[in-house]
Amino acid sequence: MTSEKLHDVRLHVNGSVHEVRVPARRLLSDALRHDCGLTGTHVGCEHGVCGACTILVDGAPVRSCLMFAVSAVDAEITTVEGLTEADGSLSPVQQAFSDCHGLQCGFCTPGFLTTITAGLRDNPDPSEDEAREMIAGNLCRCTGYQNIVKSVLRASQIQGGTKGEMQGEIQEERG
Amino acid sequence: MTTKLFGTKVPRVEDQRFLRGQGRYVDDLLTDDPRLLHSAVLRSPHAHARILDIDVSDVLDVEGVLAVWTWEDLTGPMAEPLPLLIPHPTLTHGRTQYALAKDEVNYVGEAIAFVVAVDRYVAEDAVSRIRVDYEHLEPVVGIAAARAATRTVHDDVPDNVGARMEQENGDARAAIAAAPHTLTLELDVERSACTPMEGRGTVARWDPDTSRLTVWSSTQTSTGVRGCVAAKLGLDLAKVDVITPDVGGGFGVKINHPWPEELLVPLAAMTLGRPVKFTEDRREHFISSAHERAQQHHVEVGFDDDGRLLGLDVEFWHDHGAYTPYGLIVPIITSTQLLGPYKPQNYRVVFESLYTNTVIVTPYRGAGRPQGCFVMERTMDAIAAYLGKDRTEVRSTNFIQPDEFPFEHGLVFQDGRELTYDSGDYPASLVKLKELVGWDEFEDFRAEMAAQGRRVGIGLACYVEGTGVGPYEGAHVHIETSGRVKVATGLTTQGQGHQTAFAQIVADTLGVRFEDVEITTGDTRKMPYAVGTFASRAAVMSGSAIHLAALRAKEKALRIAAEALEASEDDLEIADGVVSVRGTDTSVDLGTVAVLSNPLRYAFDEASKAATQFSVGDPGKPPVAEDDEPGLEGKDFYSPERSTFASGMHAVIVETDPDTAEITILKYAVVHDCGHLINPMIVEGQIHGGVAQGVGGALYERMAYDESGQLLNASFMDFLMPYVTEVPTTIDIDHLETPSPLNPLGIKGAGEAGVIPSAAVFAAAIEDAEGFPIAAMPISPSELFALRLAHADTPAEAIAEETR
Amino acid sequence: MKPAPFAYLRPTTLEEALAALAGEQGAKVLAGGQSLVPLLSMRLAAPSMLVDVNGLPDLDHVHCDPSGVRIGALARHAHVLGSVEAAEVQPLLALALSHVAHPTIRNRGTTVGSIVHADAAAEMPMVLRLLEGSVDVMSVRGRRTIPAAELFAGPLESTLAHDELAVEAFFPALPAGAGVAFQEIARRHGDYALVGVAALVETDGDEVTRARVGFVSVSDVPVVVDVTHALDAPATAALAELDPAEDIHATAAYRAHLVSVLTPRVVAAATDHARSRAREVSPA
């Protein structure tokens, strides 16, 4: 077999530029993980159903397993590694997950975090039903989603939303 | 004393790395190593075939391919069948597969060839160029085909029966014959699977400088993997380290070992002198990992006018797939745990464990209990319906009472020990559950909904779960001179928050700050003796071992501190990492005590300098006493007599759409008793996850095999794991804490419980809504629709009714 | 699950893209990729070349005028769904699009791509067919308009030639006095429907002058049934022309049953919609 043509691709990820040399078929998820070393984006199904690999492409949640790296040249990409605040502290969404036990094994978590980050930008003060709708395309096998829904509301509250009162209970109980 | 952490909702320490994308799962490892190689497996496309020839001649031409293995390339123990991990005398016809198929394949997905290449893409290209000549054989798919045995999976197992096992307490058949009332039930549960978000994965690196093999595997038992890698590759155990990094969920499937790839990856790494990785993809997970659940039950029961069980006789058929690497654990659990909180006066159970040309069956969260619970609870509901009694009343009549513990069932459990329940309070649980779900108010609700043209039903199900199965776990606690505490236990973790829960125990037991405790799990370099994470055993086994090891470290700290402070040990206390004489301001940091524990005292840090002001030890004796050793450490093992028995009860209210037969969950309630709770937040998280997995198992998930043995839904598109939109919007939970007398912390396991009653509780609620029996699970709207037609008086009327 | 190798071209002009498609028999167009990439990763499709049209200018439009909505090849589902104007001109677009997978998929997947993928289990091919829309395709040979009725050849098969690129879909506006409705039943929220039903009902005063119903997931091509003369029993009329199939999620009988449940509901809802629009236009 003749050798496969490689493409020089410049990816803009989390404010940095990554120059990678990949074949056209290199999935963006693989390029991020294995070529850019950003292993926070996880691969759960590689057919676009589970949402673990969700990243933000120009601010919108997208499955990175359903894009090729060569197609991502003009895009501004954000992965879970790019959600943390500049000073290294957790973003409101990340903090909310910690507050509400919104994760267990952590494998699906990056896809939820990116999805919710974008979701709360579009709808900063979601109702409980809207919180559910926001995460309705991501699979989690550990949490039963109960605490992820709470995390969405809690993140909204941290960011200044009003519908996260239900979280008061969790905070109090923890003392 | 510092605030007690045991029993409080301490936020998890592992979250910090997971939330930042800094977790390290197997596929994340060695990504920056340019020498890393990747692998892919050629898997059988046929359910049953003889392999006549494998032609790999085209493969090495592919640029970037380094090596390909078939069975013919394997030597020594690697060419022998994989181990049968848990033999049992009744498993008379146990069979296991080869790491790479030899002569025959017995399920779609069985490994045939292993390719190593520069990346996974190229490895898959190479796999597609391997040509295999097959002679097709007729496959055996499903329990009915296996029982009929007109065809066989293995030539030398003529009836497809791998094992036949019978246990009896009393004389069930005689009791049934003499009983005032009898019922017979035929019950079915279909195949499903764990499907963790992360599949299996293994990385191996051979270090020629130190002659050591390091294997990272996404497993539930690193010590188990270590043992089999050493045995199969002919290495001394001492040359093999197995590390389980972060694991993206297990739910049982990762306790089976060795998977072919867990051996082939290290073999390739040693052969090629480069690190090698295997990352299972989603399709592979469906067709080459493991499934569970499929069983058919025939139940005969005799009871009196109160619904009291006089005799229970259960015969069941368990589909164990093509091979039996994990022995009979699942059907043995079903056969014993079926009894739940009840005490039939006479019980007999017989099962046959059957071969089929489908993926192997090993424990999936609950491990045979969901089926057993389904059978027992369906029987309870049938008795109640027959007698016209409230379903809770029949259950109450049969409960083991709180004063009857320890309760002996007269059976042998999965661990080979007597099935003896340690503690529990089932009547109290039922009171709580009825309150939580609104059992007594339900008929009013039903009427209210009926007035709106809506159809609702309520169901409940009770279970008892043997947890914390032995034989042992160990722990090592090391207090460093910095005062920080490093703790190692050998079992692995898959997201349960062990680093947090175990640190809570250490902080309390030792009297140190939670932040100063660091827990390592699943690393054979740190703790080479361990069993693994399954059977809801981590908290009970490792939690207890860690408690005991911390007590040993504390004992030593107090002894050394007493000498240094010239005080009596009895007058000392440890809090926040400081040993002090009670009621005085005389104290010494634990870090300093750690320095004092070691006669070699180079003053390389502040603690060491501080320690020079104390003098410890008798100048007339050797610096390390005969019965002592340097360092402030504690090590201990916990090995209980038998399992603890957690219990619980679930209730659900469902709505079934009269037109579309869609099933909606209106309310879900759980009463849960796992003894003392270490971290209620984590326990509730386990319940939430279990319930969601149970909803999947009851209403959405199944393995859809066609008759040729092809799995038709080997993707997340068609294997319907619930999203948030399919699970209850709230799960109401109440706890009961009946401590176990078997361990120092009074704890029982909590990991699997949430999933056990699901099939039973949904079947009960749907039956209550619809008014006809539900005898097979899972159930889809399409199946509910078919049942409605079958139970309608005449098909024509039924259709008119349904389509009005 | 990694794609087989393919050549890749990311043209910056339409001419370049069309020339590439003309020059490579095995080339496929990559737009949103939400249906194509899983097929490639599972190696169920192995085109020799992908022509990535995401770099082409002027194809991401959603143009609305009184005649209807024109959707460019690079307009994402989310873009179309978010267009208030499009929802006014043809309300069925938003009704159906909200059922297309999940928001994350809609952020990348294109409406035109979904149509020419020609999946009878997908919403948008049926909607185009029901609304009697069309798709404009271009090749080096020129531009042509394919009416929806001539677009779908078989399961996952459109009548586009291999060298043709779908550049725009046209969804006619909802006429005055007409109404639409859409309902579907799926196993999980966001899944392909077990059965999806849309209706377009046209009225003149109290009279229903035309009623047509489109079905998702009940046949291997998008199918539309005229029920104008069967308003008392639209499901019976529909089932006479449908042959629902069995799969692992539903029996044929259950699918037929869902058709019989949903069809009258959707026709009634579309009729109500038509009447309420008529009232809005001419308040009594």
Side-chain angles (χ1 to χ4, degrees):
Chain A
M1 268 169 94
T2 52
S3 59
E4 201 172 347
K5 186 183 174 195
L6 299 178
H7 300 254
D8 290 309
V9 179
R10 174 182 287 237
L11 295 174
H12 300 261
V13 191
N14 304 330
S16 304
V17 172
H18 294 258
E19 308 267 4
V20 301
R21 203 172 159 74
V22 294
R25 59 171 161 164
R26 190 86 165 159
L27 297 170
L28 180 56
S29 46
D30 284 339
L32 290 169
R33 292 177 43 74
H34 301 298
D35 301 319
C36 302
L38 295 167
T39 54
T41 297
H42 297 153
V43 173
C45 75
E46 284 185 308
H47 50 271
V49 181
C50 79
C53 71
T54 305
I55 58 170
L56 304 182
V57 173
D58 297 324
V62 165
R63 307 280 200 241
S64 61
C65 77
L66 296 188
M67 274 184 78
F68 295 110
V70 285
S71 285
V73 283
D74 300 326
E76 195 62 55
I77 293 168
T78 306
T79 67
V80 64
E81 290 93 340
L83 298 183
T84 311
E85 306 288 343
D87 66 357
S89 60
L90 297 179
S91 74
V93 179
Q94 291 169 317
Q95 185 60 48
F97 268 67
S98 176
D99 291 349
C100 301
H101 190 31
L103 68 158
Q104 291 182 23
C105 81
F107 198 80
C108 70
T109 310
F112 277 94
L113 295 174
T114 48
T115 303
I116 296 165
T117 299
L120 287 177
R121 205 175 40 225
D122 296 342
N123 179 6
D125 203 8
S127 67
E128 202 176 312
D129 280 345
E130 287 166 341
R132 265 187 210 102
E133 178 67 27
M134 197 180 286
I135 60 168
N138 291 59
L139 287 173
C140 169
R141 195 57 157 169
C142 293
T143 63
Y145 306 101
Q146 307 294 319
N147 290 341
I148 299 180
V149 175
K150 287 181 189 164
S151 300
V152 175
L153 299 174
R154 169 75 183 142
S156 160
Q157 188 191 38
I158 295 174
Q159 291 180 349
T162 59
K163 297 202 187 81
E165 293 87 357
M166 59 184 292
Q167 296 311 315
E169 182 199 346
I170 286 182
Q171 292 305 299
E172 271 168 39
E173 281 184 41
R174 198 169 291 157
Chain B
M1 188 69 196
T2 34
T3 318
K4 193 162 180 270
L5 293 174
F6 192 105
T8 62
K9 297 185 172 185
V10 178
R12 302 197 325 164
V13 291
E14 37 280 88
D15 291 354
Q16 287 296 322
R17 65 175 186 277
F18 291 153
L19 291 168
R20 292 166 195 274
Q22 292 168 349
R24 279 294 173 273
Y25 305 83
V26 166
D27 192 51
D28 303 340
L29 302 172
L30 275 58
T31 43
D32 59 354
D33 185 338
R35 290 168 46 81
L36 177 66
L37 299 171
H38 298 262
S39 58
V41 177
L42 172 69
R43 302 189 183 281
S44 174
H46 305 297
H48 200 191
R50 249 185 278 285
I51 297 173
L52 304 178
D53 183 53
I54 305 176
D55 180 359
V56 298
S57 55
D58 279 355
V59 171
L60 292 171
D61 296 347
V62 178
E63 187 178 317
V65 173
L66 280 91
V68 57
W69 278 265
T70 66
W71 179 83
E72 291 198 344
D73 303 309
L74 303 177
T75 57
M78 275 298 286
E80 300 295 320
L82 298 180
L84 200 166
L85 288 173
I86 311 173
H88 192 278
T90 63
L91 182 53
T92 49
H93 294 76
R95 299 288 180 272
T96 57
Q97 70 185 80
Y98 293 83
L100 293 170
K102 173 178 185 281
D103 304 334
E104 188 174 319
V105 283
N106 280 304
Y107 61 93
V108 171
E110 186 166 351
I112 295 174
F114 185 71
V115 173
V116 177
V118 291
D119 69 28
R120 170 80 182 199
Y121 294 72
V122 174
E124 288 190 22
D125 295 346
V127 161
S128 69
R129 292 165 70 101
I130 299 172
R131 290 186 297 268
V132 183
D133 282 343
Y134 298 98
E135 178 195 340
H136 296 275
L137 302 171
E138 286 292 317
V140 178
V141 182
I143 289 174
R147 286 178 66 185
T150 52
R151 309 187 284 271
T152 58
V153 175
H154 300 288
D155 293 343
D156 53 356
V157 187
D159 52 4
N160 291 319
V161 177
R164 187 174 189 285
M165 186 172 170
E166 177 170 352
Q167 289 205 67
E168 184 158 20
N169 181 29
D171 186 343
R173 282 164 293 188
I176 294 166
H181 312 287
T182 60
L183 282 171
T184 301
L185 290 85
E186 308 293 338
L187 300 164
D188 272 290
V189 178
E190 284 190 50
R191 268 190 181 225
S192 188
C194 306
T195 49
M197 295 307 297
E198 179 209 33
R200 298 180 292 115
T202 301
V203 180
R205 181 170 63 195
W206 172 256
D207 183 347
D209 295 337
T210 58
S211 294
R212 291 190 79 81
L213 178 70
T214 306
V215 179
W216 292 264
S217 202
S218 184
T219 180
Q220 292 175 220
T221 171
S222 37
T223 44
V225 172
R226 183 191 192 208
C228 63
V229 166
K232 283 290 191 179
L233 298 188
L235 295 169
D236 291 342
L237 200 60
K239 291 211 173 296
V240 182
D241 300 318
V242 175
I243 302 164
T244 302
D246 289 325
V247 173
F251 312 110
V253 64
K254 294 174 182 175
I255 188 59
N256 187 54
H257 64 282
W259 298 100
E261 300 85 353
E262 273 176 331
L263 303 173
L264 294 163
V265 166
L267 173 68
M270 291 183 71
T271 307
L272 300 171
R274 290 174 65 173
V276 177
K277 179 183 283 185
F278 167 74
T279 304
E280 182 186 59
D281 69 31
R282 186 51 57 186
R283 179 172 161 76
E284 288 181 295
H285 189 75
F286 277 105
I287 63 169
S288 68
S289 286
H291 302 162
E292 214 232 87
R293 301 290 196 249
Q295 290 180 355
Q296 280 182 1
H297 286 247
H298 171 82
V299 181
E300 295 187 16
V301 62
F303 48 96
D304 67 14
D305 294 345
D306 296 327
R308 186 172 291 105
L309 294 170
L310 302 175
L312 179 64
D313 187 12
V314 177
E315 186 172 12
F316 73 95
W317 294 268
H318 171 77
D319 170 2
H320 65 221
Y323 302 102
T324 55
Y326 211 74
L328 297 176
I329 290 298
V330 172
I332 291 176
I333 292 175
T334 304
S335 65
T336 48
Q337 296 263 269
L338 183 149
L339 295 173
Y342 313 113
K343 43 177 182 183
Q345 296 175 15
N346 298 278
Y347 175 56
R348 172 178 173 268
V349 62
V350 187
F351 69 78
E352 286 183 348
S353 195
L354 301 169
Y355 285 102
T356 56
N357 288 110
T358 54
V359 167
I360 60 166
V361 165
T362 65
Y364 163 25
R365 195 180 203 170
R369 294 178 188 86
Q371 301 95 310
C373 180
F374 175 69
V375 169
M376 190 74 230
E377 295 298 294
R378 293 281 65 210
T379 304
M380 284 290 164
D381 286 344
I383 293 171
Y386 177 88
L387 295 174
K389 287 185 175 296
D390 186 281
R391 289 168 283 169
T392 60
E393 196 185 321
V394 172
R395 286 169 170 83
S396 295
T397 302
N398 288 286
F399 279 153
I400 295 163
Q401 295 301 308
D403 60 3
E404 292 181 279
F405 293 97
F407 185 87
E408 294 175 14
H409 275 290
L411 301 171
V412 178
F413 191 41
Q414 70 176 106
D415 52 3
R417 306 276 168 138
E418 293 293 313
L419 181 70
T420 302
Y421 291 179
D422 52 345
S423 64
D425 189 342
Y426 311 135
S429 279
L430 185 60
V431 169
K432 280 175 178 281
L433 185 75
K434 288 175 72 173
E435 172 74 27
L436 202 57
V437 76
W439 185 268
D440 290 335
E441 296 80 47
F442 182 75
E443 288 310 322
D444 292 344
F445 178 68
R446 192 201 303 272
E448 192 185 309
M449 297 300 274
Q452 300 169 32
R454 295 170 66 180
R455 195 182 289 179
V456 294
I458 191 169
L460 88 161
C462 312
Y463 68 91
V464 170
E465 182 198 3
T467 64
V469 175
Y472 69 86
E473 285 297 336
H476 180 254
V477 172
H478 179 204
I479 302 167
E480 297 198 346
T481 55
S482 62
R484 291 184 56 79
V485 184
K486 305 297 176 186
V487 180
T489 188
L491 56 64
T492 60
T493 190
Q494 299 90 43
Q496 300 94 332
H498 294 150
Q499 288 183 321
T500 302
F502 293 161
Q504 288 177 248
I505 293 173
V506 173
D508 279 357
T509 305
L510 206 50
V512 296
R513 297 191 312 154
F514 175 79
E515 296 75 21
D516 286 335
V517 184
E518 185 182 286
I519 308 282
T520 299
T521 56
D523 185 339
T524 63
R525 297 170 304 180
K526 302 256 175 91
M527 177 53 74
Y529 289 95
V531 182
T533 301
F534 56 93
S536 301
R537 67 191 295 282
V540 174
M541 301 302 298
S542 277
S544 296
I546 284 169
H547 173 71
L548 295 174
L551 282 179
R552 287 195 185 274
K554 182 179 185 180
E555 203 178 282
K556 183 164 183 180
L558 291 176
R559 170 162 60 79
I560 295 168
E563 203 175 331
L565 298 174
E566 296 173 345
S568 157
E569 281 180 47
D570 296 341
D571 295 335
L572 299 182
E573 63 180 8
I574 311 179
D576 289 336
V578 178
V579 191
S580 51
V581 182
R582 237 180 244 108
T584 74
D585 52 6
T586 309
S587 69
V588 57
D589 289 350
L590 268 182
T592 306
V593 178
V595 178
L596 296 174
S597 72
N598 183 355
L600 179 65
R601 246 174 258 165
Y602 292 135
F604 44 60
D605 62 12
E606 291 307 314
S608 306
K609 286 180 213 160
T612 56
Q613 62 185 292
F614 301 104
S615 117
V616 178
D618 184 339
K621 290 188 178 158
V624 178
E626 250 177 49
D627 59 349
D628 203 0
E629 49 189 56
L632 188 48
E633 297 175 290
K635 183 176 173 183
D636 210 340
F637 286 84
Y638 172 68
S639 181
E641 208 177 315
R642 63 178 100 87
S643 301
T644 59
F645 285 82
S647 66
M649 300 178 187
H650 290 200
V652 69
I653 298 175
V654 301
E655 176 170 6
T656 56
D657 189 304
D659 296 322
T660 64
E662 289 172 290
I663 301 158
T664 310
I665 304 165
L666 300 184
K667 187 173 181 66
Y668 202 101
V670 175
V671 174
H672 185 257
D673 183 354
C674 63
H676 288 147
L677 305 175
I678 302 170
N679 185 325
M681 177 188 82
I682 287 176
V683 172
E684 291 193 0
Q686 289 292 320
I687 296 170
H688 291 163
V691 168
Q693 218 160 14
V695 169
L699 303 178
Y700 296 97
E701 300 166 7
R702 72 183 72 212
M703 291 296 163
Y705 274 104
D706 70 10
E707 58 192 20
S708 69
Q710 296 291 335
L711 185 58
L712 302 178
N713 60 343
S715 82
F716 278 163
M717 238 171 284
D718 285 314
F719 179 83
L720 307 177
M721 260 165 67
Y723 288 105
V724 67
T725 37
E726 281 67 54
V727 303
T729 52
T730 55
I731 299 171
D732 298 323
I733 300 174
D734 199 354
H735 295 284
L736 193 73
E737 297 191 45
T738 55
S740 173
L742 298 178
N743 62 66
L745 303 171
I747 52 184
K748 302 177 177 182
E752 298 170 277
V755 81
I756 294 171
S758 308
V761 79
F762 279 102
I766 294 166
E767 175 172 301
D768 186 49
E770 296 286 327
F772 49 73
I774 302 294
M777 292 296 274
I779 185 167
S780 67
S782 182
E783 286 157 329
L784 179 56
F785 170 71
L787 285 175
R788 283 179 179 175
L789 290 188
H791 286 93
D793 291 332
T794 69
E797 273 180 40
I799 291 163
E801 163 71 14
E802 295 311 322
T803 57
R804 74 185 185 282
Chain C
M1 299 222 299
K2 309 291 183 189
F6 50 78
Y8 175 80
L9 190 72
R10 189 181 171 89
T12 51
T13 66
L14 197 52
E15 293 69 30
E16 199 188 340
L18 299 180
L21 288 172
E24 182 77 27
Q25 181 79 27
K28 284 281 282 181
V29 173
L30 173 67
Q34 305 299 284
S35 300
L36 178 62
V37 179
L39 292 176
L40 298 180
S41 285
M42 294 176 188
R43 300 201 180 202
L44 297 172
S48 58
M49 173 187 271
L50 284 192
V51 178
D52 180 350
V53 297
N54 285 286
L56 298 184
D58 306 327
L59 285 178
D60 63 348
H61 59 271
V62 178
H63 291 153
C64 303
D65 63 37
S67 71
V69 181
R70 295 184 179 277
I71 297 172
L74 288 176
R76 315 290 168 180
H77 292 303
H79 178 184
V80 184
L81 182 56
S83 165
V84 177
E85 219 185 340
E88 278 169 12
V89 173
Q90 180 44 266
L92 186 57
L93 282 176
L95 290 179
L97 278 166
S98 65
H99 289 277
V100 174
H102 292 106
T104 306
I105 298 294
R106 300 200 290 263
N107 283 338
R108 187 74 190 167
T110 63
T111 301
V112 171
S114 168
I115 289 167
V116 297
H117 187 60
D119 189 342
E123 290 81 1
M124 298 319 286
M126 179 274 278
V127 167
L128 189 82
R129 179 96 172 69
L130 177 68
L131 297 176
E132 300 175 296
S134 60
V135 169
D136 275 19
V137 302
M138 289 184 76
S139 69
V140 290
R141 292 167 290 130
R143 179 169 184 139
R144 66 179 180 124
T145 298
I146 309 177
E150 295 165 21
L151 185 61
F152 305 109
L156 297 175
E157 192 189 343
S158 77
T159 54
L160 267 71
H162 82 87
D163 64 342
E164 285 179 321
L165 170 68
V167 292
E168 190 177 81
F170 172 67
F171 291 88
L174 188 62
V180 288
F182 185 94
Q183 280 189 30
E184 71 174 41
I185 289 182
R187 285 295 276 119
R188 293 177 301 186
H189 178 86
D191 279 353
Y192 282 116
L194 293 176
V195 169
V197 183
L200 170 61
V201 172
E202 295 169 40
T203 61
D204 184 3
D206 283 344
E207 192 193 346
V208 171
T209 53
R210 194 173 182 225
R212 294 162 67 251
V213 186
F215 296 91
V216 173
S217 289
V218 286
S219 51
D220 53 17
V221 291
V223 59
V224 171
V225 178
D226 192 316
V227 298
T228 312
H229 303 294
L231 290 172
D232 293 342
T236 312
L239 284 168
E241 294 191 33
L242 298 170
D243 186 16
E246 170 161 343
D247 64 18
I248 59 171
H249 303 302
T251 61
Y254 180 59
R255 277 214 163 76
H257 172 72
L258 291 181
V259 167
S260 68
V261 171
L262 293 184
T263 303
R265 286 185 187 173
V266 171
V267 170
T271 308
D272 286 350
H273 183 227
R275 293 192 170 131
S276 73
R277 286 179 81 237
R279 277 195 300 275
E280 279 167 25
V281 174
S282 54

